[in-house]
Amino acid sequence: MKHAGTTAVHSGSEDGERSFLSRKLQALRKSFRKNRFLLLLALPMILFTFVFKYIPMAGSIVAFKRYQFNQGIFGSEWVGWNNFKFLIQSPDLGRLLRNTLGYNIIFIVLTLICAVGFALLLYEVTSKGALKAYQTIMFIPHFLSWVVVAFMAYAFLNATSGMLNQLLELVGLTRVDWYNTSGPWAFIFPLAHLWKEIGVACLIYYAALMGIDPTYYEAARIDGANRLQMVFRISLPFLYPIMTILTILAIGNILDADFGLFYQLPMNSPSILETTDVLDTYIFRALVELGDIGMSSAAGLAKSVVGLVLVIGANALVRKANEENALF
């Protein structure tokens, strides 16, 4: 009798599990049919991400091998952590980390402050024609290649015929050989990055401002609030979530220097590497000179791991402060 009772219980539990799975499958099919057009719209990006982001992750094994073209990825000799030693044991590591982290921190802070500020200013513009003109002027530099920007900058910074040196002479100052003087580049890089990328960031924040219910501002005006008070009491609180998310994502790329900015803009001048050399340019030159693909792969893998840890850590800190503003 006990055996029969146990069998009945097991049979009942199995039937319950089948019924639960059946309901889940039906709900999944219903959700798929309901959202099939949205899923089709997302399909190209899903395939793109899978093909170009996930499949190449198998190539990370190159970071642990002495890659030989004739032997292929899986046939090359396994060397373990030896490829990582090149970067760790480099005497330039301190300078590279200082430049890479320093510039990226400046970029993050400067872009955040300026993009939010310009978005708030654009939000006050009532003329549609003027608004479109401002947005176009700010957005166009984003589409310019750093090669093009480098030659535009060369027209200003050329030691003999540059516009900036001619202007310095007009006001009685001496010419500056910009491409052989390392100091000014600590200011040139942030300005160039801000000029090129502020349009995109500003557009994101402006779109967030457009999503705010106008009745909040109307109620604030009735209560006698001025524009500055509305900015701090209404606009900025609504922008905090998107500001937090974009900052967390930027922190994840803090070791990824913009190669075009740091390589093309200073024309790869060897005399100013003290302030222009970052991890990406250093790895590129090492790859060109040594041809060591394993070493460059190891550096890229290390940066990715550090970036992942930083994103998780930054998100955890934000979650502790305000769970609603966290990325995940």
Side-chain angles (χ1 to χ4, degrees):
M1 292 295 293
K2 287 184 179 180
H3 178 71
T6 305
T7 304
V9 170
H10 282 300
S11 176
S13 63
E14 289 177 359
D15 290 340
E17 289 178 2
R18 291 195 191 99
S19 177
F20 176 76
L21 290 174
S22 176
R23 289 196 302 270
K24 283 291 184 182
L25 287 173
Q26 288 177 0
L28 188 63
R29 292 193 193 99
K30 185 178 179 180
S31 177
F32 181 81
R33 285 195 299 269
K34 181 181 178 181
N35 301 302
R36 59 186 181 277
F37 295 111
L38 292 176
L39 291 172
L40 285 174
L41 285 173
L43 185 60
M45 196 61 207
I46 293 172
L47 292 175
F48 176 86
T49 303
F50 179 74
V51 172
F52 292 99
K53 300 294 183 181
Y54 283 91
I55 293 179
M57 289 176 69
S60 298
I61 195 175
V62 176
F64 303 94
K65 294 200 169 193
R66 183 177 289 110
Y67 180 75
Q68 300 291 333
F69 289 98
N70 58 341
Q71 295 178 358
I73 294 177
F74 298 101
S76 298
E77 178 189 358
W78 181 273
V79 294
W81 299 98
N82 288 346
N83 288 326
F84 293 87
K85 293 180 181 178
F86 172 84
L87 194 61
I88 295 173
Q89 295 177 352
S90 171
D92 301 318
L93 182 61
R95 171 172 58 85
L96 296 173
L97 288 176
R98 181 199 67 195
N99 289 345
T100 305
L101 292 174
Y103 282 126
N104 278 324
I105 291 172
I106 293 172
F107 293 166
I108 292 170
V109 174
L110 195 61
T111 302
L112 176 65
I113 294 173
C114 294
V116 171
F118 276 105
L120 292 170
L121 291 174
L122 286 177
Y123 191 66
E124 298 295 328
V125 177
T126 56
S127 172
K128 291 186 177 180
L131 182 62
K132 289 181 179 179
Y134 294 146
Q135 288 178 333
T136 303
I137 292 170
M138 295 175 65
F139 205 68
I140 283 178
H142 175 74
F143 296 100
L144 296 177
S145 166
W146 278 117
V147 178
V148 176
V149 176
F151 281 101
M152 291 170 60
Y154 187 75
F156 282 92
L157 303 178
N158 184 274
T160 55
S161 59
M163 298 180 188
L164 190 53
N165 276 327
Q166 292 180 17
L167 182 62
L168 290 175
E169 280 192 336
L170 285 176
V171 296
L173 300 175
T174 57
R175 290 174 174 265
V176 178
D177 189 357
W178 302 98
Y179 291 97
N180 288 301
T181 307
S182 59
W185 288 93
F187 302 94
I188 294 173
F189 282 139
L191 291 175
H193 181 271
L194 185 65
W195 171 77
K196 196 169 187 295
E197 301 299 336
I198 191 175
V200 177
C202 178
L203 189 64
I204 295 172
Y205 293 122
Y206 179 76
L209 287 172
M210 293 298 292
I212 301 175
D213 190 344
T215 56
Y216 286 105
Y217 295 102
E218 293 173 5
R221 290 191 190 96
I222 293 172
D223 289 339
N226 56 38
R227 290 185 180 275
L228 193 60
Q229 288 173 327
M230 287 189 284
V231 166
F232 285 99
R233 299 288 184 175
I234 301 174
S235 300
L236 287 180
F238 272 98
L239 290 180
Y240 286 154
I242 190 68
M243 290 166 63
T244 305
I245 290 171
L246 292 180
T247 302
I248 291 173
L249 294 175
I251 289 173
N253 295 321
I254 201 166
L255 288 180
D256 283 335
D258 190 333
F259 179 80
L261 170 62
F262 291 100
Y263 187 81
Q264 298 290 349
L265 196 63
M267 298 290 184
N268 194 30
S269 176
S271 59
I272 55 175
L273 292 180
E274 180 65 25
T275 55
T276 63
D277 203 17
V278 291
L279 282 169
D280 286 3
T281 55
Y282 183 81
I283 293 167
F284 174 77
R285 282 196 302 274
L287 181 61
V288 170
E289 294 173 5
L290 303 177
D292 193 338
I293 294 178
M295 178 276 299
S296 59
S297 299
L301 180 60
K303 290 197 301 180
S304 299
V305 172
V306 172
L308 175 63
V309 172
L310 288 174
V311 166
I312 294 174
N315 187 78
L317 291 175
V318 172
R319 181 176 287 277
K320 276 190 173 183
N322 189 339
E323 189 172 349
E324 293 182 356
N325 291 344
L327 181 61
F328 52 86

